Amino acid sequence: MKSFDIVVVGAGIVGCAVARELSRAGMRVGIVEGGAHRGATAAGMGHVVVMDDSPAQLVLTQYSCSLWRKEADHLPVAVEYEGFGTIWIAANDEEMEEVHAKHAIYAQTGVVSAVLNAAELVMAEPNLRKDLAGGLLVPHDAVIYPPAAAEFFLSEAQRLGAALFRSRAVQASHGEVSLEDGTLLQAERIVLATGTECDLLSALPLQKRKGHLAITDRYPGFLCHQLVELGYLKSAHKLVADSVAFNIQPRQTGQLLIGSSRQYGDDDPGVDAAILRQMLERAVSYMPALAGMSVLRVWTGFRAATLDKLPLIGPAAGLSDDTSLWLAAGFEGLGITNALGAARLLLDGLLNRTPEIDAGPYLPARMVNRMEIARA
Amino acid sequence: MTVTINGRLLEVVAGTVVSAAMLQAGEPCRISVSGEPRTAMCGMGICFECRAVVNGVAHRRTCQFVCADGLRVETMR
Ligand SMILES: Cc1cc2nc3c(=O)[nH]c(=O)nc-3n(C[C@H](O)[C@H](O)[C@H](O)COP(=O)(O)OP(=O)(O)OC[C@H]3O[C@@H](n4cnc5c(N)ncnc54)[C@H](O)[C@@H]3O)c2cc1C
Ligand code: FES
């Protein structure tokens, strides 16, 4: 039997960021990864973005983005951190009103942003179609290559003494984690950072939300910012219906990463041709020149969605009576962005320190009330 | 017939594939992400090493493209 202060189950970007943070604080950390590749982290887009679906989401993404910026200069080249900035695109006057509303919210909370009119938008991104109303530029948002970031955090944790176990955890409770290969790990606390997977705690209130992405060949200079249509917010909020939205990301190689779709209730990892077609047609409607470009690869991934669209960070109280269990899960479409903030919140919680932002909105215990309300 | 390769005129015999014309001109077909010059390798359309910009269209496999008079090719960067 091996014993640790903490065992983290799951080495996606969240588990790796958590393991590094805890190792830095001098804890003895074990980390368990049983997959052939890194779940959603290997499938995601890599946008490090401030999002304002809800005040709590804005606070966490803003905090996390600032943490990414602080270490940007020290990240390995392979992480491909690039401060491209985001432009939220307004197709018409109604969406332009949203641009102004978003700008006002960002100004209140200290997020730098600038309103672009139609002509300024064309200047910023000449390959967009010309009849768009304008946009909101958020210059400090960034783009990274998520699997490389996870790998880096993991290697940092290991350098600081963390031990990696490459096997699946079949049970994790009351301070013990048993692995498929027969190893037994003991720890005061266990952090579940298992992405969409709920086998270790079936009460995890998570739903899988499927997404498609496509990456093109290299077209350097075609795109300068991550572009997202403002309609994205509307479609991303829909809880049931399938949706696609124009979302495109420049990669350092000159490749273009095109997203994205959102589907519930489809657990099949295969590519859905109809949704893919809709997604690509939507992209072409915003950037007509994309039609002549070649796509190299198409894939899907699953986001771990919660009811209130906020992650579960902290003790599993409410979802389990087991006081050794902690959670870092349910990051939906923002786990790359929020990995660093989540790692800090978790460490502060474990050390009983006051965090830099209010941890309350992300505590798993909130789900209990929500579930009761849903039942009533 | 005459083709233009990276802005320079080159005389080629009829039937020359574009990748061969680029070799003849001493120009790489493309520059890799890490900055290496690359040219045709398989010669049969499967390795994608020979991609270049042909008549303004990016990522053409030049080993599969026969030269026509007046054709323009640029190294893919
Ligand atoms: C199409 C798409 C686009 C996205 N775009 C973005 C974006 O632009 N920006 C952004 O911020 N986020 C984005 N996301 C979301 C982001 O990818 C996820 O939120 C994030 O990767 C979640 O990380 P994670 O570590 O929680 O989970 P995962 O990366 O899924 O990692 C969980 C790990 O736990 C392991 N595991 C599970 N159970 C066990 C067990 N019992 N024993 C051992 N190991 C186990 C799995 O093998 C896996 O490696 C996107 C997601 C998708 C699908
Ligand atoms: S040389 Fe291999 S595809 Fe052209």
Side-chain angles (χ1 to χ4, degrees):
Chain A
M1 169 127 38
K2 302 195 167 71
S3 108
F4 298 93
D5 295 322
I6 314 256
V7 166
V8 180
V9 185
I13 195 164
V14 172
C16 292
V18 166
R20 179 182 72 159
E21 199 67 30
L22 306 183
S23 302
R24 274 177 172 167
M27 295 183 182
R28 292 174 308 139
V29 176
I31 178 159
V32 179
E33 172 54 55
H37 63 95
R38 292 202 158 84
T41 299
M45 240 182 151
H47 196 188
V48 174
V49 55
V50 176
M51 289 276 268
D52 61 341
D53 275 7
S54 63
Q57 190 189 67
L58 176 56
V59 169
L60 183 58
T61 53
Q62 189 183 1
Y63 179 50
S64 296
C65 285
S66 74
L67 296 174
W68 277 110
R69 275 201 301 281
K70 262 184 214 150
E71 67 170 294
D73 292 343
H74 309 290
L75 293 169
V77 179
V79 175
E80 296 182 18
Y81 182 99
E82 195 79 67
F84 287 126
T86 306
I87 302 180
W88 294 88
I89 311 266
N92 49 39
D93 292 345
E94 188 195 339
E95 288 181 3
M96 206 57 205
E97 274 170 39
E98 279 180 56
V99 160
H100 289 287
K102 214 171 163 62
H103 180 58
I105 292 173
Y106 285 178
Q108 272 166 25
T109 46
V111 178
V112 178
S113 74
V115 175
L116 307 179
N117 64 25
E120 288 164 338
L121 180 63
V122 170
M123 285 246 283
E125 289 293 346
N127 288 307
L128 277 170
R129 74 170 203 255
K130 303 290 183 252
D131 65 344
L132 297 163
L136 186 71
L137 169 67
V138 185
H140 292 159
D141 284 352
V143 165
I144 63 159
Y145 181 53
E151 194 59 47
F152 170 61
F153 296 155
L154 179 62
S155 68
E156 284 288 288
Q158 286 177 296
R159 190 174 58 79
L160 295 166
L164 172 67
F165 298 89
R166 288 217 172 267
S167 177
R168 218 180 152 69
V170 285
Q171 210 172 355
S173 66
H174 301 94
E176 279 188 8
V177 179
S178 33
L179 309 188
E180 213 166 42
D181 68 6
T183 311
L184 193 61
L185 310 178
Q186 212 169 34
E188 248 168 75
R189 299 267 191 276
I190 300 163
V191 178
L192 301 184
T194 46
T196 51
E197 293 173 58
C198 304
D199 354 357
L200 296 174
L201 179 61
S202 56
L204 270 180
L206 297 178
Q207 251 192 306
K208 279 185 170 184
R209 203 168 190 197
K210 184 173 175 177
H212 288 74
L213 293 173
I215 193 154
T216 68
D217 217 319
R218 292 163 59 204
Y219 297 93
F222 182 79
L223 183 66
C224 308
H225 305 85
Q226 168 119 3
L227 306 182
V228 194
E229 67 166 292
L230 261 175
Y232 174 86
L233 296 175
K234 278 183 244 153
S235 59
H237 280 194
K238 280 191 232 153
L239 281 178
V240 259
D242 293 354
S243 64
V244 297
F246 170 57
N247 181 353
I248 189 166
Q249 178 176 94
R251 305 295 319 176
Q252 266 185 0
T253 52
Q255 290 174 284
L256 308 168
L257 182 49
I258 305 173
S260 62
S261 65
R262 290 178 183 257
Q263 288 171 280
Y264 281 118
D266 179 357
D267 281 1
D268 176 2
V271 169
D272 176 334
I275 283 275
L276 177 65
R277 168 176 290 275
Q278 275 181 44
M279 183 180 99
L280 294 176
E281 280 173 354
R282 185 120 195 121
V284 169
S285 79
Y286 277 85
M287 295 193 115
L290 287 173
M293 295 188 170
S294 55
V295 164
L296 286 185
R297 194 163 78 87
V298 168
W299 68 94
T300 68
F302 292 96
R303 309 170 180 94
T306 60
L307 269 176
D308 60 6
K309 323 202 65 40
L310 291 172
L312 305 163
I313 306 169
L319 299 171
S320 165
D321 299 331
D322 181 350
T323 51
S324 69
L325 275 191
W326 284 52
L327 303 177
F331 288 87
E332 220 208 306
L334 288 170
I336 309 301
T337 302
N338 283 333
L340 295 186
R344 287 286 179 95
L345 286 180
L346 213 68
L347 175 67
D348 291 333
L350 287 163
L351 294 180
N352 240 328
R353 289 195 311 214
T354 310
E356 289 179 80
I357 62 170
D358 177 12
Y362 324 106
L363 290 176
R366 75 183 188 278
M367 285 294 160
V368 182
N369 299 333
R370 288 200 145 250
M371 285 191 282
E372 277 163 5
I373 293 164
R375 251 183 254 126
Chain B
M1 64 180 73
T2 312
V3 296
T4 309
I5 295 184
N6 288 340
R8 278 206 335 259
L9 290 176
L10 180 79
E11 201 60 41
V12 294
V13 297
T16 305
V17 289
V18 176
S19 59
M22 294 199 83
L23 270 181
Q24 192 183 325
E27 295 289 326
C29 293
R30 67 187 192 94
I31 306 294
S32 77
V33 172
S34 55
E36 285 177 18
R38 298 284 176 87
T39 188
M41 191 181 82
C42 73
M44 58 186 188
I46 55 170
C47 74
F48 283 66
E49 287 292 356
C50 64
R51 284 168 294 155
V53 185
V54 179
N55 288 336
V57 182
H59 297 294
R60 280 284 147 107
R61 279 168 292 168
T62 53
C63 72
Q64 299 300 296
F65 219 105
V66 181
C67 289
D69 197 34
L71 180 121
R72 283 176 300 109
V73 201
E74 278 105 43
T75 296
M76 178 90 225
R77 281 164 207 282

